Amino acid sequence: MSRIEIASVSKTYDNGVAALKPITVDIAAGSFVVLLGPSGAGKSTLLRTLNGLETPSTGEVRIDGEVLGRANLRAMRARIGMVFQQFNLVGRLNVMTNVLCGRLGKRSGLGSLFFLMRRSDLERGHAVLARVGLTDKAWERADRLSGGQQQRVGIGRALAQEPAVLLADEPVSNLDPATSREIMDLISDICRRDGVTTIVSLHQVELARRYADRVIGLNDGNVVFDGPVGDLTEEVLRRIYGDGEDGGEYGGEYGAEYGGEDEGGHGGDVADA
Amino acid sequence: MWPTRSGWPPAGALAAAAAILALLAVAAPAAEIDPLRVIDSLGAMADFAGHLLVAPDWSYLPDLAAKMLETLAIAFLATVIAAVLSFPLGILAARNATPHVAVSHLTRQLLSVMRALPELMWALVFVSAVGLGPLPGVMALALVATGFLGKFFAETIEAVDTGPIEGVAAHGAGWLQVRRYAILPQVAPDFIGIVLYILDHNLRAATVLGLVGAGGIGYDMVMSMRLFQYDRIGLIALAIYVAVTVLDRASDQLRRRVI
């Protein structure tokens, strides 16, 4: 259970692109937050500043009051799990080794450089694989697995470190709808049962409705909506996704519904938000 | 007609062909390429080949075996030493794995110096430094091989997929752990493949180290030539041919299995 404070964090890349305008958000311990927004809205950038994969241009990130910085980066990362859109597994290593990569933050010994793991770590690895349903794949090469299975390994890796925070960057964008729901169920279970503060970026509105406690809508680097999932009205979605020209952006299901009700003229307030 | 917009061959290809022809015209006289001279010496060549058709000196076999083993040992030792040394050097030289850009530049410079002189030259240097024998040979081969392997290793690391690196680093892995878990597994097959090539190359190179007194079969080869011991030359050439071919086939097989 960890509280996350994002204090006027902004990010401008070296090429001058302002991916994030100053954002201030306070995330309660144990909550399930979904970041919603079109491509390029800054969802990934925001998530990546939370574990130091990006360094904010201004502002700071605090986890349980501790400011994330260069000096404590490794220790902080050891408490923060991350699940990626492209899974980011080491394909040539077996599933178990990939999962045990989650333990590396707590193991600095020379042994870890020779793949020597502690018995307790291996036991943890087995327990994690049982939870993500991959016990029988433990000794297979990670790149031999299907996309859904690889994402389960990715979640296993995050679980292996016994995280206080779980970040998931578009974890289901490369998966079919049925697999997407399985993966989201798994992430949701980790949040609810283990009390892990979870932040997931998504572009599917229906998944956000189904799993989130709280939705933060981003557009062009600004927070344009922040509230409980119940407040996610049509008008709000228009604010998040613009005035419908790129309605196809967030999934066919909603896109069709959206296109029919297009009133236009409401996109203007996005820029001021 | 050529499948281009103008119907002419691409300008780049034409220019390259012209450049090669021009260079040939300059290089041929410098190398004293003279067809007449080659034809004139056909008799001498036949004469030499005729001398090889003698009963081999079988009593030389044990000596030959020992020298060939020494040659193989030199090649193998040098390759292993080079592989071990080039590992950290490659990481230091790769722009995406080095602790600092300056370190990368410095390491690249060092590797390029190692490669600059051929093995035989380094062997000459080391023979005068540590004396005659296989040791300077091993040192020379290892040095040049490290230069090549380090450079190749660095280039392979730079082409690595960054996803797994983020995946491992995001969970708190340290500097060395990221290199060990995310980078090395990705480059391992290429690295093993190139090490096997280097082993092949080193065996060939080890056969001539004897020319400068740096161990191996080369010394016997030169001495038999000088002393007109034709009954040995054939055996030596055959032994080298067999060793090189067997190793070549074996490493081909191994490489195919790894990649």
Side-chain angles (χ1 to χ4, degrees):
Chain A
M1 294 280 248
S2 280
R3 173 184 174 205
I4 302 170
E5 295 161 273
I6 302 166
S8 47
V9 165
S10 75
K11 176 72 187 179
T12 305
Y13 287 105
D14 291 340
N15 60 10
V17 174
L20 278 185
K21 315 288 162 57
I23 282 177
T24 299
V25 173
D26 198 337
I27 291 167
S31 57
F32 194 113
V33 176
V34 166
L35 302 180
L36 214 53
S39 319
K43 305 188 294 284
S44 280
T45 308
L46 181 57
L47 272 180
R48 291 163 63 86
T49 57
L50 300 185
N51 67 351
L53 286 179
E54 304 285 358
T55 316
S57 304
T58 66
E60 61 186 27
V61 171
R62 288 189 292 271
I63 294 173
D64 286 335
E66 198 180 336
V67 178
L68 183 70
R70 271 185 79 91
N72 62 1
L73 189 60
R74 191 170 172 209
M76 295 286 262
R77 281 178 172 176
R79 293 159 52 194
I80 307 171
M82 188 160 197
V83 175
F84 297 84
Q85 179 177 3
Q86 308 288 348
F87 323 132
N88 287 1
L89 304 176
V90 186
R92 299 187 64 89
L93 296 181
N94 63 34
V95 167
M96 178 61 92
T97 312
N98 269 288
V99 166
L100 290 178
C101 281
R103 302 298 299 166
L104 291 177
K106 299 180 173 70
R107 302 282 177 261
S108 296
L110 197 62
S112 75
L113 294 180
F114 294 95
F115 290 110
L116 278 173
M117 303 291 175
R118 294 187 193 184
R119 187 175 297 274
S120 61
D121 284 351
L122 271 164
E123 279 162 9
R124 172 103 195 133
H126 279 297
V128 160
L129 283 176
R131 178 152 182 197
V132 299
L134 287 176
T135 298
D136 53 330
K137 304 280 185 198
W139 309 113
E140 275 189 43
R141 252 171 72 160
D143 56 8
R144 299 255 195 275
L145 270 50
S146 71
Q149 289 170 332
Q150 290 198 33
Q151 194 57 293
R152 285 168 181 276
V153 178
I155 294 171
R157 178 169 64 185
L159 272 177
Q161 65 180 144
E162 302 171 285
V165 174
L166 181 64
L167 310 174
D169 188 5
E170 302 255 6
V172 297
S173 293
N174 284 351
L175 305 174
D176 63 74
T179 312
S180 294
R181 229 161 298 133
E182 286 170 26
I183 294 293
M184 287 304 293
D185 282 342
L186 194 54
I187 292 174
S188 170
D189 183 61
I190 292 165
C191 175
R192 309 289 177 215
R193 200 137 61 91
D194 304 10
V196 174
T197 312
T198 303
I199 308 177
V200 182
S201 71
L202 289 174
H203 63 256
Q204 300 95 328
V205 176
E206 45 114 11
L207 287 179
R209 284 215 166 97
R210 194 179 170 122
Y211 292 99
D213 297 329
R214 172 181 174 190
V215 172
I216 296 173
L218 288 171
N219 187 305
D220 197 24
N222 292 299
V223 173
V224 295
F225 171 79
D226 183 358
V229 70
D231 291 357
L232 204 60
T233 60
E234 296 303 312
E235 195 273 327
V236 166
L237 287 173
R238 251 190 299 278
R239 246 194 291 157
I240 295 174
Y241 285 101
D243 59 5
E245 280 169 37
D246 49 0
E249 186 79 57
Y250 45 98
E253 198 180 329
Y254 184 76
E257 184 189 344
Y258 185 86
E261 296 179 6
D262 192 359
E263 294 161 19
H266 284 271
D269 52 357
V270 167
D272 324 316
Chain B
M1 290 294 274
W2 296 71
T4 56
R5 192 189 295 265
S6 65
W8 285 92
L14 283 178
I20 289 170
L21 285 174
L23 282 174
L24 274 179
V26 177
E32 295 175 6
I33 298 282
D34 181 356
L36 283 179
R37 191 172 149 203
V38 176
I39 291 166
D40 280 348
S41 36
L42 278 181
M45 285 189 207
D47 196 35
F48 179 78
H51 282 300
L52 286 176
L53 298 175
V54 290
D57 175 11
W58 298 116
S59 67
Y60 171 62
L61 269 187
D63 245 14
L64 174 67
K67 281 293 178 193
M68 276 312 290
L69 276 180
E70 185 182 288
T71 312
L72 279 166
I74 291 173
F76 181 72
L77 274 171
T79 309
V80 171
I81 293 171
V84 171
L85 286 181
S86 64
F87 227 65
L89 287 174
I91 289 177
L92 292 180
R95 272 178 282 264
N96 58 342
T98 187
H100 194 276
V101 230
V103 177
S104 157
H105 284 301
L106 215 69
T107 315
R108 276 165 188 276
Q109 205 52 51
L110 178 71
L111 291 172
S112 121
V113 169
M114 290 174 160
R115 289 192 309 270
L117 293 184
E119 288 93 345
L120 219 52
M121 301 272 231
W122 281 118
L124 270 173
V125 173
F126 288 129
V127 165
S128 48
V130 303
L132 295 169
L135 177 63
V138 171
M139 290 166 74
L141 292 192
L143 194 76
V144 176
T146 305
F148 271 108
L149 274 175
K151 178 185 166 149
F152 178 86
F153 198 31
E155 278 167 8
T156 320
I157 290 176
E158 282 171 2
V160 124
D161 183 10
T162 54
I165 298 177
E166 273 193 353
V168 172
H171 293 86
W175 196 89
L176 277 171
Q177 287 172 335
V178 169
R179 276 141 193 83
R180 182 69 188 89
Y181 282 79
I183 295 183
L184 283 187
Q186 291 194 66
V187 299
D190 283 345
F191 190 61
I192 292 168
I194 194 73
V195 166
L196 288 171
Y197 274 119
I198 293 286
L199 181 62
D200 275 3
H201 170 86
N202 275 348
L203 178 58
R204 278 167 247 254
T207 59
V208 295
L209 284 175
L211 287 177
V212 296
I217 191 73
Y219 180 74
D220 283 27
M221 185 78 173
V222 177
M223 286 321 282
S224 332
M225 289 282 236
R226 298 243 165 94
L227 301 173
F228 305 108
Q229 292 171 322
Y230 294 108
D231 49 356
R232 290 188 175 189
I233 294 173
L235 277 180
I236 294 172
L238 187 70
I240 294 176
Y241 167 75
V242 169
V244 168
T245 310
V246 166
L247 185 65
D248 195 73
R249 297 273 159 80
S251 67
D252 259 358
Q253 287 295 325
L254 219 71
R255 208 176 295 125
R256 218 165 292 150
R257 207 157 301 170
V258 176
I259 298 170

